[in-house]
Amino acid sequence: MPLSYEARKKIADLFLDSVYRTIERVGDSLSKDLDSKPFHEALIPLDVRVHSKFERSFSTSFGQKAVETIARVVVEDSGGKAEGQHTEKMHIDRGRLSAIELYRENARSNKLKLNWKETLYWIGKNTKLEGELMEVSVKTDLYYSRVGAEAFFSLKTVKPNIDQTMEAKIDLLKLHYGRNVPSDTLGFGLWYNPYGEGHYYNYSPPKSVFSMNEDSVVYIGSQFWNTLGGPGTYRELIQIASEVGTNTVQMIDKAKGEWI
């Protein structure tokens, strides 16, 4: 089902605001940047250096916060209730928690490289239930409920480091065992595939934690957005960005003319 006019307007405004704030931030940075970089200045044209600074700044501006907000708009527009930075409190057997931590230790020392199913099997095999329940809290970047089902997503940059990825996996494991609800959606979400939609994800660090192209808990690009809003959501978001781009390209060109 297509996004409503109201949702499209909110998302377009978020895109526009991210670019506008980037222009302000880069302009302010250039006016205060007094560092002398003689080799950069001698070897790299000013417009290329400005382009690099702008791209880095935009990636920061349009980071996790903006993605979380757009994700909530998409979910709510499709009839769900969404929440960012949601804390879920659960109880897990002490023995199970010990097995999860043992997995973390072995994985970080490169003794284990397991996909999601293999990890669940390994933890099950190495768990000695003690009968003592421990309260555990897990914070997720995106939580939503819809038609009786609940979803918990850890959202990361599209090229997360191994520590970020491992922490996300540990949180998902705790949610898996602490809630024990088969209808739950548990996800490690990347908002686009830096290698191109439809291509294999090949960034090495997270691939040592998840099977990035096969694990059921990994959602990248269109799979992530279409899970939130239904088929076609990812394509519609790209369309909205392209429409906003007709204005932002002119804004950026005007700003560059003042900077260079």
Side-chain angles (χ1 to χ4, degrees):
M1 183 176 177
L3 292 167
S4 67
Y5 171 82
E6 290 77 11
R8 290 178 64 94
K9 179 67 166 56
K10 288 179 183 177
I11 293 168
D13 287 345
L14 283 165
F15 285 145
L16 187 62
D17 182 64
S18 293
V19 174
Y20 181 75
R21 286 188 293 112
T22 301
I23 291 172
E24 282 195 322
R25 190 163 51 250
V26 171
D28 187 55
S29 173
L30 288 171
S31 67
K32 295 179 180 178
D33 190 358
L34 302 179
D35 291 346
S36 177
K37 298 178 180 178
F39 292 100
H40 290 68
E41 294 164 7
L43 295 168
I44 305 173
L46 178 59
D47 62 330
V48 174
R49 284 183 278 129
V50 168
H51 178 275
S52 177
K53 183 185 287 286
F54 189 92
E55 195 280 332
R56 288 198 306 273
S57 183
F58 176 76
S59 294
T60 300
S61 175
F62 195 79
Q64 187 164 318
K65 185 176 180 181
V67 172
E68 286 180 20
T69 303
I70 293 172
R72 293 199 302 273
V73 171
V74 168
V75 169
E76 290 167 356
D77 195 58
S78 61
K81 294 182 178 180
E83 179 184 338
Q85 300 303 309
H86 169 84
T87 298
E88 185 74 7
K89 293 184 178 181
M90 307 158 291
H91 290 86
I92 303 176
D93 187 280
R94 181 189 290 273
R96 185 77 77 189
L97 285 174
S98 296
I100 292 173
E101 288 305 314
L102 182 62
Y103 160 74
R104 186 210 299 262
E105 293 171 12
N106 280 272
R108 290 299 284 118
S109 61
N110 291 319
K111 295 178 182 177
L112 289 174
K113 290 188 178 181
L114 307 176
N115 64 31
W116 179 252
K117 286 186 177 180
E118 291 168 342
T119 304
L120 298 180
Y121 177 79
W122 189 95
I123 290 174
K125 188 173 65 174
N126 288 275
T127 294
K128 295 180 180 178
L129 296 177
E130 299 180 9
E132 181 181 0
L133 295 179
M134 307 296 295
E135 184 174 89
V136 175
S137 295
V138 172
K139 179 175 284 188
T140 49
D141 302 307
L142 174 66
Y143 162 83
Y144 67 84
S145 60
R146 185 169 50 206
V147 197
E150 296 179 77
F152 302 81
F153 277 92
S154 176
L155 306 180
K156 301 301 177 189
T157 62
V158 296
K159 289 186 175 181
N161 63 41
I162 192 169
D163 292 327
Q164 293 170 323
T165 310
M166 180 57 72
E167 286 305 314
K169 186 169 185 177
I170 295 300
D171 285 345
L172 294 179
L173 287 167
K174 290 177 180 177
L175 286 164
H176 173 81
Y177 290 110
R179 285 182 54 83
N180 192 27
V181 179
S183 61
D184 278 353
T185 296
L186 305 179
F188 178 68
L190 308 184
W191 58 293
Y192 70 91
N193 183 351
Y195 298 94
E197 185 62 28
H199 292 271
Y200 261 54
Y201 182 90
N202 283 318
Y203 189 57
S204 294
K207 288 174 66 178
S208 65
V209 179
F210 289 108
S211 179
M212 293 295 290
N213 297 290
E214 286 83 27
D215 276 349
S216 62
V217 294
V218 175
Y219 294 76
I220 302 175
S222 63
Q223 185 183 14
F224 170 67
W225 292 108
N226 293 347
T227 297
L228 269 53
T233 299
Y234 175 77
R235 185 171 60 251
E236 191 168 2
L237 290 174
I238 297 296
Q239 180 187 48
I240 295 169
S242 296
E243 292 170 358
V244 174
T246 60
N247 292 321
T248 58
V249 167
Q250 295 179 23
M251 290 167 55
I252 294 168
D253 284 343
K254 181 180 178 182
K256 283 173 61 179
E258 298 171 355
W259 298 334
I260 300 174

